[in-house]
């Protein structure tokens, strides 16, 4: 997702909602009813569902994802949100690697550029406030602001695999630096017949000499 279209019209309950989710049992499906049970019954609060989907905590059907369950671990909740923000607002981080540090005016200017002027000033303002509130909630200390793209990760994996293959080939070479050569050894057994006629033995050994030596 390059730039989420989801935003909140009010961010005053954002932190409270996220903290309430952490302490509640994960639902089979995140619905407005579940949100109301947490104590958030305002229509403006319901917009959080779209935000949770954008952050990768819910799938399109509202079912909690693995990231949702990672978010429930309070020791890493805010770091999980930071990762989700980078994905949901990827285009912002492409414009500025430390987008989480931009002030409200800077965010709005960047959003105007990214949306190509197709959003009203009111919507841009709300998108900026939502992004700013999420960034304030997330934990960024010691956290890479931009995740390595999947393409780079795959390239790194390919380089690692190639390195492993090269090392394997090197290990198969002898210490002198020459590659191993296949050596074949034959063990030929000749069973001589019992005879007192030495001419028979002479014929056998002459045949061996002619064909094998």
């Amino acid at each position: 997702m390059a730039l989420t279209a989801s935003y909140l019209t009010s961010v005053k309950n954002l932190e409270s909602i996220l903290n309430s989710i952490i302490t509640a049992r994960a639902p089979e499906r995140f619905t407005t009813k579940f949100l109301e049970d947490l104590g958030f019954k305002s229509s403006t609060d319901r917009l959080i569902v779209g935000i949770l989907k954008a952050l990768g905590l819910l799938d399109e059907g509202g079912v909690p994802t693995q990231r949702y369950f990672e978010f429930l671990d309070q020791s890493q909740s805010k770091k999980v949100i930071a990762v989700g923000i980078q994905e949901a607002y990827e285009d912002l981080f492409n414009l500025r690697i430390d987008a989480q540090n931009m002030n409200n005016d800077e965010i709005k200017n960047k959003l105007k550029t990214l949306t190509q002027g197709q959003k009203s000033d009111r919507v841009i303002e709300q998108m900026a406030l939502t992004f700013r509130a999420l960034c304030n909630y997330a934990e960024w200390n010691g956290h890479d602001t931009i995740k390595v793209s999947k393409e780079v990760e795959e390239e790194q994996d390919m380089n690692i695999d190639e390195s492993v293959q090269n090392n394997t080939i090197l290990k198969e070479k002898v210490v002198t630096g020459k590659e191993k050569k296949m050596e074949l050894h034959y063990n030929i057994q000749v069973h001589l017949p019992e005879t007192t006629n030495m001419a028979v033995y002479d014929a056998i050994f002459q045949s061996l000499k002619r064909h094998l030596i």
Side-chain angles (χ1 to χ4, degrees):
M1 184 179 296
L3 179 66
T4 178
S6 299
Y7 59 89
L8 301 174
T9 56
S10 173
V11 297
K12 68 176 183 179
N13 289 335
L14 175 61
E15 184 172 355
S16 298
I17 293 174
L18 293 176
N19 289 338
S20 295
I21 291 174
I22 294 174
T23 57
R25 182 177 180 179
E28 292 185 5
R29 185 168 174 270
F30 198 104
T31 62
T32 54
K33 175 64 168 57
F34 176 73
L35 191 60
E36 291 175 359
D37 290 340
L38 293 179
F40 303 96
K41 301 180 180 181
S42 171
S43 59
T44 58
D45 293 331
R46 296 173 186 172
L47 296 175
I48 193 66
V49 176
I51 297 298
L52 296 177
K53 290 180 180 179
L55 295 176
L57 273 68
L58 302 176
D59 66 16
E60 287 305 312
V63 178
T65 63
Q66 178 59 36
R67 182 173 293 173
Y68 185 103
F69 300 114
E70 293 171 354
F71 173 67
L72 298 182
D73 180 353
Q74 296 186 38
S75 66
Q76 62 177 1
S77 297
K78 295 188 176 184
K79 293 179 180 179
V80 171
I81 292 297
V83 172
I85 291 172
Q86 293 176 75
E87 293 181 358
Y89 298 90
E90 182 181 359
D91 282 352
L92 266 181
F93 285 92
N94 286 338
L95 292 178
R96 178 167 164 177
I97 194 170
D98 62 339
Q100 78 277 10
N101 294 326
M102 292 191 296
N103 60 41
N104 202 54
D105 287 338
E106 290 174 323
I107 297 170
K108 287 191 293 184
N109 288 332
K110 298 297 184 185
L111 288 175
K112 287 180 181 180
T113 299
L114 292 173
T115 57
Q116 299 179 338
Q118 296 181 5
K119 302 292 185 182
S120 67
D121 289 343
R122 179 172 175 272
V123 170
I124 290 294
E125 175 71 25
Q126 292 171 337
M127 291 177 68
L129 288 175
T130 301
F131 176 74
R132 182 72 267 148
L134 287 170
C135 289
N136 288 340
Y137 179 87
E139 181 178 328
W140 302 93
N141 292 336
H143 183 81
D144 293 336
T145 55
I146 294 295
K147 293 176 64 181
V148 179
S149 67
K150 290 183 179 179
E151 292 79 7
V152 174
E153 289 177 348
E154 291 173 356
E155 182 179 350
Q156 290 175 340
D157 290 340
M158 290 176 62
N159 291 337
I160 292 174
D161 290 340
E162 184 178 352
S163 177
V164 171
Q165 291 175 358
N166 290 337
N167 287 337
T168 302
I169 294 173
L170 289 173
K171 288 180 181 178
E172 291 179 351
K173 292 185 178 180
V174 294
V175 178
T176 58
K178 297 181 179 179
E179 295 184 358
K180 288 184 177 179
K181 294 182 179 180
M182 182 179 293
E183 296 181 0
L184 300 178
H185 299 275
Y186 297 93
N187 184 17
I188 300 174
Q189 296 181 359
V190 179
H191 297 276
L192 300 176
E194 294 183 5
T195 179
T196 58
N197 188 352
M198 296 301 296
V200 174
Y201 294 146
D202 290 340
I204 291 174
F205 287 119
Q206 287 178 2
S207 179
L208 288 172
K209 182 178 180 179
R210 184 168 58 251
H211 295 290
L212 297 178
I213 301 177

